[in-house]
Amino acid sequence: MAAPQTTDPLLEEISGPTPRQILRKRVRGHTGLLFGLGVVLLLVIVAILAPVLAPHDPYVQDLTKRMVKPVFMGGTWEHPLGTDHLGRDYLSRLIYGARVSLLIGAVAALISGIIGTAMGVAAGYFGGKVDAVVTFLINVRLAMPVVLVALAVVAILGGSLEVVIGVLGLLLWDRFAVVMRASTLQVRRREYVAAAQAIGASTPRVILSEIMPNIVNNLIVIVTLEMAHAILLEAALSFLGLGVQPPTPSWGLMVSEGKNMMLFEPWLVLIPGVVLFILVLAINLMGDGLRDVTAPENRS
């Protein structure tokens, strides 16, 4: 005897797919999101497993094997991507450099995101004097050139991983504040916010339960953009000698160390430069894709 059906096919057809099913379908159909997410996850795994994946110690120097060419230029598989001017394995330094770039990008975006989101939501929700103060601070920050300020601060405090993360985290909050303020201004006029206020919901509850879920898609985009921005700024600072200091592996530092030989050994610059480009592109594609699939208009 056949088991009775637990669901009515007609009812399922009328009710349609669930929001989770719609989300899965949108994710599977978004090529940019899948590519970006795949590349970022791959690099995260590589960074975590760096001690296992790296064929050599990235700090060990061997002057008898300096400037060995990559295998695709006639080198050997002992050093698949060659060695630098001090005989250090380029693949190993590239793998460990992923740790530096991802750590700086993620932590700097987290710090600036907390600061900018708090300021933007407060300005958009409360308005009045709070909005005026936050708008003034945003204008002050926008008047400050990020690269020059970062160069000055790092030059004064000294280049290190902690200093670079702190400086970038405290300088990149303006975009968060601007976008979160504009998004909050739009959402706070909606009926569900007024309804929550009418039944006596506290301000923190209104912000966390009614406003934040409806602006989180914009926040996702800004987080990814600022993460990519922080990675590029770290590479620029390291290229100028004011970021991560030798012998710590950093893609920007690898480009800087190879620039003097760029005309004779262009792969010294191209390899870290291409990897840096792929990472930033993947983060941007991932952010755009997440925004597309999590937008409020796409949830039903």
Side-chain angles (χ1 to χ4, degrees):
M1 180 177 181
Q5 291 186 354
T6 57
T7 57
D8 187 350
L10 180 60
L11 182 60
E12 289 184 352
E13 183 178 352
I14 295 175
S15 61
T18 64
R20 183 174 296 181
Q21 291 172 334
I22 295 175
L23 179 61
R24 285 200 296 264
K25 181 179 180 182
R26 289 185 178 276
V27 170
R28 289 195 298 266
H30 202 294
T31 306
L33 172 60
L34 294 176
F35 173 80
L37 188 60
V39 172
V40 172
L41 287 178
L42 176 62
L43 289 176
V44 169
I45 293 173
V46 167
I48 294 174
L49 300 179
V52 177
L53 297 177
H56 300 276
D57 190 325
Y59 300 98
V60 172
Q61 303 177 13
D62 186 354
L63 296 181
T64 62
K65 296 181 179 179
R66 60 188 301 270
M67 303 303 293
V68 173
K69 293 182 180 296
V71 68
F72 56 83
M73 295 182 66
T76 64
W77 284 103
E78 181 183 2
H79 300 283
L81 295 183
T83 61
D84 62 8
H85 64 292
L86 295 176
R88 296 172 296 191
D89 184 69
Y90 225 53
L91 176 59
S92 300
R93 291 186 63 79
L94 200 69
I95 292 174
Y96 274 84
R99 284 185 163 186
V100 174
S101 294
L102 291 171
L103 177 64
I104 289 177
V107 178
L110 176 63
I111 295 173
S112 57
I114 292 174
I115 297 172
T117 300
M119 294 174 63
V121 171
Y125 184 80
F126 295 106
K129 293 182 179 179
V130 176
D131 189 19
V133 171
V134 172
T135 302
F136 173 75
L137 293 176
I138 292 174
N139 290 331
V140 171
R141 163 59 197 86
L142 291 175
M144 302 164 57
V146 177
V147 176
L148 293 181
V149 174
L151 286 173
V153 174
V154 172
I156 294 172
L157 299 179
S160 68
L161 185 62
E162 295 78 9
V163 171
V164 171
I165 290 175
V167 169
L168 296 181
L170 295 174
L171 283 177
L172 299 180
W173 56 264
D174 55 292
R175 191 175 299 180
F176 285 97
V178 171
V179 175
M180 291 299 99
R181 175 183 175 274
S183 300
T184 304
L185 283 172
Q186 295 177 351
V187 172
R188 76 170 185 177
R189 301 187 180 95
R190 301 292 175 85
E191 293 80 2
Y192 49 82
V193 176
Q197 294 170 337
I199 64 174
S202 63
T203 298
R205 183 173 180 179
V206 172
I207 292 175
L208 295 176
S209 301
E210 305 297 336
I211 292 180
M212 289 303 298
N214 291 284
I215 63 175
V216 69
N217 57 308
N218 294 328
L219 179 60
I220 290 172
V221 178
I222 304 304
V223 167
T224 54
L225 288 175
E226 292 306 320
M227 183 176 177
H229 191 192
I231 291 173
L232 287 176
L233 284 175
E234 179 276 324
L237 291 173
S238 298
F239 179 81
L240 296 173
L242 294 174
V244 177
Q245 297 299 302
T248 303
S250 165
W251 293 344
L253 186 60
M254 292 172 69
V255 173
S256 176
E257 292 173 342
K259 68 180 186 299
N260 294 329
M261 297 291 295
M262 185 169 60
L263 296 179
F264 307 100
E265 305 290 351
W267 54 269
L268 290 171
V269 174
L270 288 177
I271 291 175
V274 169
V275 175
L276 185 63
F277 165 77
I278 292 174
L279 174 59
V280 172
L281 176 63
I283 292 174
N284 285 326
L285 289 175
M286 182 180 67
D288 290 341
L290 289 174
R291 188 260 177 261
D292 291 340
V293 302
T294 60
E297 61 270 17
N298 294 334
R299 293 179 185 167
S300 59

